[in-house]
């Protein structure tokens, strides 16, 4: 009997290592892709004071006739104030995707906007640039590409004397650059590289060697939680830090300068703040902070300095779950950001996995599976991180709510969700032999058979069927 058990254990050990290796390779690829996507994500620049002065009006969809009238007034209005008001109204309308589509289909609309951008009236130039910026931020590539006739002028104005105008042109060009290859092909011969180089070397930005300067330390000081923390300033510098981290120039230096500790404390402060106030602006800071932590945790230096110690395991996990509940209620689009951080916390840290279990957070995590397929994949990945730590961790996952939950996810049509469910089952079968029998008794085999025809799932389905039937 003992020799038979030893014979069974040897391939199990190989299976675990092979599974871990595969998961690590996939995680590395996902992290690289995510970091690159974050590095080129679009940003929206709006003047808060201007927005408040305009009374926070509800954005309305503009029809063709309204757009044409605003463009006519902006071009031919008798007074400059009247022309400016027309452009302000147009800009507010362009915040709506439907208005953007109507605008670019309207003959001569972009040409008129470019004409106003190149006028000799500073206020009209600024409002025209703001209209173009709204278009550049669109998720529809056709809308952003419609701004191509304006790029040469936006590049020219990078040498403007107005820092506000330069900033607006930079943001707009940044949004256009990430839109498509066609945009990049046009901007390169127009001289975007020397224009940006000149901008960096100008008095507005004298030191391009950011990490070689004291700027990162100053940014971290500005992000220190406490009564003196200015939300608006912190948001902008958190995004600056995020882009520095995404560039991966020297993240090890940032970690040794205390970035993990500062960001961890700020995360806890934000978790406490969302419980005290309904301030709608908090999510603006939470997003870059969570992204910064997520990306820093993927660095080898984070493990070297003991990232778990710097982040105070249980407090960070508890704070992150408070933020996940906040996201669920107020900003569901940020849920994947929080779960990606939880994934990176638990990937190589038994202590963070222990915190999940000791704080009874497995069940709340399972409740998030119903939100979306993207969220489901991340939740299942976190559960795989926990299961991968061995039998002692798996016994807290099974039996429980996990079995009926996995039967539900296996019934979905999304192959990524199903694939992650199969991976979790594989780990559970390896570490909890009784799980396979329980799975069979709950019609699990039929659930697997539904996915046999999906090519990328065939091998995993077959292996799990054999384990369940003969293991």
């Amino acid at each position: 009997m003992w020799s038979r058990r030893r014979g069974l254990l040897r391939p199990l050990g190989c299976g675990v290592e092979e599974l871990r290796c595969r998961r690590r390779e996939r995680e590395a690829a996902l992290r690289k892709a995510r970091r690159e996507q974050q590095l080129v994500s679009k940003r929206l620049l709006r003047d808060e004071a201007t927005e408040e002065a305009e009374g926070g009006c509800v954005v309305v969809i503009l029809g063709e006739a309204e757009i044409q009238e605003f463009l006519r007034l902006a071009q031919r209005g008798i007074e400059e104030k009247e022309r400016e008001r027309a452009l302000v109204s147009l800009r507010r309308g362009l915040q709506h995707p439907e208005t953007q589509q109507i605008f670019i289909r309207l003959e001569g609309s972009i040409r008129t906007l470019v004409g106003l951008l190149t006028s000799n009236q500073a206020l009209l130039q600024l409002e025209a640039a703001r209209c173009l910026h709204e278009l550049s931020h669109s998720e529809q590539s056709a809308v952003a590409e419609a701004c191509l006739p304006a790029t040469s002028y936006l590049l020219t104005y990078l040498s403007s004397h107005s820092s506000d105008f330069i900033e607006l042109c930079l943001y707009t060009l940044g949004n256009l650059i990430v839109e498509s290859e066609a945009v990049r092909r046009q901007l390169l011969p127009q001289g975007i590289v020397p224009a940006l180089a000149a901008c960096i070397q100008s008095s507005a930005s004298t030191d391009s060697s950011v990490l070689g300067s004291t700027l990162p330390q100053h940014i971290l000081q500005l992000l220190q939680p406490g009564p003196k923390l200015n939300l608006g300033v912190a948001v902008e510098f958190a995004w600056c830090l995020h882009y520095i981290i995404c560039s991966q120039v020297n993240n090890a230096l940032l970690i040794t300068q205390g970035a993990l500790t500062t960001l961890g404390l700020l995360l806890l402060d934000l978790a406490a703040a969302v419980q005290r106030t309904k301030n709608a602006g908090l999510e603006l800071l939470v997003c870059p902070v969570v992204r910064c932590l997520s990306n820093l945790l993927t660095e080898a230096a984070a493990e070297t300095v003991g990232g778990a110690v710097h982040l105070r395991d249980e407090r960070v996990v508890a704070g992150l779950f408070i933020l996940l509940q906040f996201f669920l209620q107020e900003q569901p689009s940020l849920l994947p950001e929080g779960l990606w951080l939880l994934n990176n916390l638990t990937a190589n840290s038994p202590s963070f996995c222990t915190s999940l279990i000791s704080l009874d957070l497995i069940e709340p995590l399972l409740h998030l599976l119903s939100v979306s397929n993207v969220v489901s994949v991340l939740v299942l990945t976190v559960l795989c991180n926990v299961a991968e730590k061995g039998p002692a961790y798996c016994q807290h996952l099974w039996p429980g709510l996990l079995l009926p939950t996995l039967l539900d996810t296996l019934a979905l049509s999304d192959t990524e969700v199903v694939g992650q469910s199969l991976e979790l089952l594989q780990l559970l079968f390896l570490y909890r032999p009784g799980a396979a029998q329980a799975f069979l008794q709950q019609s699990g085999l039929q659930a697997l058979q539904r996915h046999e025809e999906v090519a990328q799932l065939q091998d995993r389905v077959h292996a799990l069927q054999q384990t369940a039937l003969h293991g």
Side-chain angles (χ1 to χ4, degrees):
M1 184 172 80
W2 285 104
S3 62
R4 180 176 178 275
R5 285 182 63 81
R6 283 198 296 273
L8 283 172
L9 284 171
R10 276 196 296 273
L12 286 184
C14 294
V16 171
E17 284 309 311
E18 186 182 343
L19 193 59
R20 282 178 177 165
C21 183
R22 191 168 68 235
R23 291 191 71 240
R24 283 170 185 154
E25 287 174 0
R26 190 168 68 250
E27 284 282 307
L30 283 171
R31 285 167 177 165
K32 182 176 183 291
R34 191 178 182 89
R35 204 163 35 234
E36 288 174 352
Q37 179 58 38
Q38 289 172 358
L39 191 56
V40 298
S41 58
K42 293 186 176 185
R43 290 204 59 199
L44 187 61
L45 181 68
R46 285 182 184 156
D47 189 329
E48 289 181 10
T50 304
E51 294 284 317
E52 287 175 12
E54 291 167 9
C57 304
V58 177
V59 176
V60 294
I61 301 170
L62 300 179
E64 283 190 15
E66 291 169 298
I67 293 172
Q68 287 173 327
E69 178 62 14
F70 287 139
L71 287 174
R72 187 191 67 78
L73 286 171
Q75 272 189 306
R76 303 187 182 91
I78 298 170
E79 296 180 0
E80 187 178 350
K81 277 293 179 187
E82 181 184 26
R83 298 173 72 187
E84 185 188 352
R85 280 197 300 271
L87 276 177
V88 168
S89 299
L90 178 61
R91 169 172 57 81
R92 290 197 63 81
L94 289 173
Q95 292 173 15
H96 197 289
E98 200 167 323
T99 303
Q100 294 172 354
Q101 291 287 347
I102 296 169
F103 183 84
I104 64 167
R105 288 197 300 265
L106 202 59
E107 189 178 353
S109 58
I110 290 290
R111 187 170 61 251
T112 302
L113 208 51
V114 171
L116 291 163
L117 177 70
T118 57
S119 72
N120 58 3
Q121 304 288 331
L123 290 176
L124 293 180
Q125 279 187 302
L126 188 60
E127 279 306 326
R130 284 172 177 164
C131 288
L132 286 166
H133 181 65
E134 293 292 344
L135 292 169
S136 76
H137 191 259
S138 173
E139 293 180 3
Q140 301 296 320
S141 58
V143 175
E145 287 179 11
C147 300
L148 282 174
T151 55
S152 60
Y153 301 105
L154 292 170
L155 286 172
T156 301
Y157 292 137
L158 291 182
S159 57
S160 164
H161 296 296
S162 166
S163 58
D164 287 343
F165 197 36
I166 291 172
E167 183 182 34
L168 189 56
C169 292
L170 281 170
Y171 271 71
T172 305
L173 285 166
N175 288 344
L176 293 174
I177 286 167
V178 303
E179 188 51 57
S180 71
E181 188 61 35
V183 177
R184 289 189 285 276
R185 279 200 303 268
Q186 174 161 318
L187 284 168
L188 284 170
Q190 285 179 344
I192 188 168
V193 174
L196 290 174
C199 201
I200 289 170
Q201 291 164 6
S202 72
S203 59
S205 180
T206 55
D207 191 354
S208 62
S209 182
V210 174
L211 282 166
S213 70
T214 58
L215 182 59
Q217 289 105 309
H218 290 312
I219 290 175
L220 292 172
Q221 286 171 7
L222 288 165
L223 294 176
Q224 290 283 351
K228 292 184 178 180
L229 182 74
N230 181 295
L231 184 62
V233 171
V235 168
E236 288 307 316
F237 279 108
W239 279 111
C240 289
L241 186 61
H242 165 62
Y243 291 122
I244 292 170
I245 291 168
C246 279
S247 70
Q248 288 192 293
V249 176
N250 194 347
N251 285 342
L253 177 62
L254 286 172
I255 290 168
T256 58
Q257 289 173 342
L260 279 173
T261 301
T262 299
L263 292 165
L265 290 171
L266 184 53
L267 185 85
L268 295 176
D269 198 59
L270 289 167
V274 298
Q275 292 180 297
R276 291 193 306 264
T277 178
K278 292 290 184 182
N279 186 343
L282 286 173
E283 75 280 358
L284 299 176
L285 180 55
V286 172
C287 184
V289 168
V290 166
R291 284 188 175 188
C292 286
L293 276 170
S294 295
N295 289 330
L296 282 180
L297 284 167
T298 66
E299 299 291 333
E303 292 184 39
T304 305
V305 301
V309 174
H310 284 257
L311 291 175
R312 304 180 183 184
D313 301 2
E314 287 207 349
R315 288 183 61 198
V316 165
V317 172
L320 183 52
F321 264 80
I322 291 169
L323 291 173
L324 288 174
Q325 288 301 315
F326 170 73
F327 295 157
L328 185 61
Q329 294 164 13
E330 305 291 335
Q331 294 286 336
S333 61
L334 291 180
L335 268 175
E337 301 290 348
L339 288 167
W340 184 254
L341 173 55
L342 187 60
N343 171 58
N344 289 354
L345 286 169
T346 55
N348 299 309
S349 172
S351 58
F352 279 115
C353 293
T354 301
S355 296
L356 268 181
I357 292 166
S358 63
L359 293 170
D360 292 323
L361 294 173
I362 298 297
E363 188 174 335
L365 198 58
L366 291 174
H367 289 322
L368 296 177
L369 285 168
S370 61
V371 174
S372 70
N373 288 337
V374 172
V375 168
S376 293
V377 170
L378 287 166
V379 168
L380 290 164
T381 305
V382 171
L383 293 171
C384 283
N385 291 343
V386 177
E388 189 187 45
K389 303 302 182 288
Y393 290 84
C394 286
Q395 72 179 11
H396 292 283
L397 297 177
W398 194 292
L401 287 174
L402 194 53
L403 173 57
T405 300
L406 283 176
L407 288 170
D408 288 341
T409 58
L410 286 170
L412 298 173
S413 59
D414 188 277
T415 54
E416 200 172 354
V417 175
V418 173
Q420 204 63 45
S421 303
L422 294 173
E423 189 164 313
L424 181 53
L425 274 173
Q426 191 171 357
L427 285 163
L428 290 166
F429 287 3
L430 286 170
Y431 289 125
R432 296 283 289 170
Q437 190 60 37
F439 185 72
L440 282 176
Q441 291 170 353
Q442 294 289 329
S443 304
L445 202 57
Q446 290 91 317
L448 290 178
Q449 287 167 344
R450 281 197 292 271
H451 299 286
E452 282 186 301
E453 72 282 0
V454 184
Q456 62 265 47
L457 302 177
Q458 283 178 348
D459 290 343
R460 287 196 216 174
V461 168
H462 179 71
L464 282 169
Q465 285 174 335
Q466 295 304 307
T467 307
L469 287 169
H470 306 299

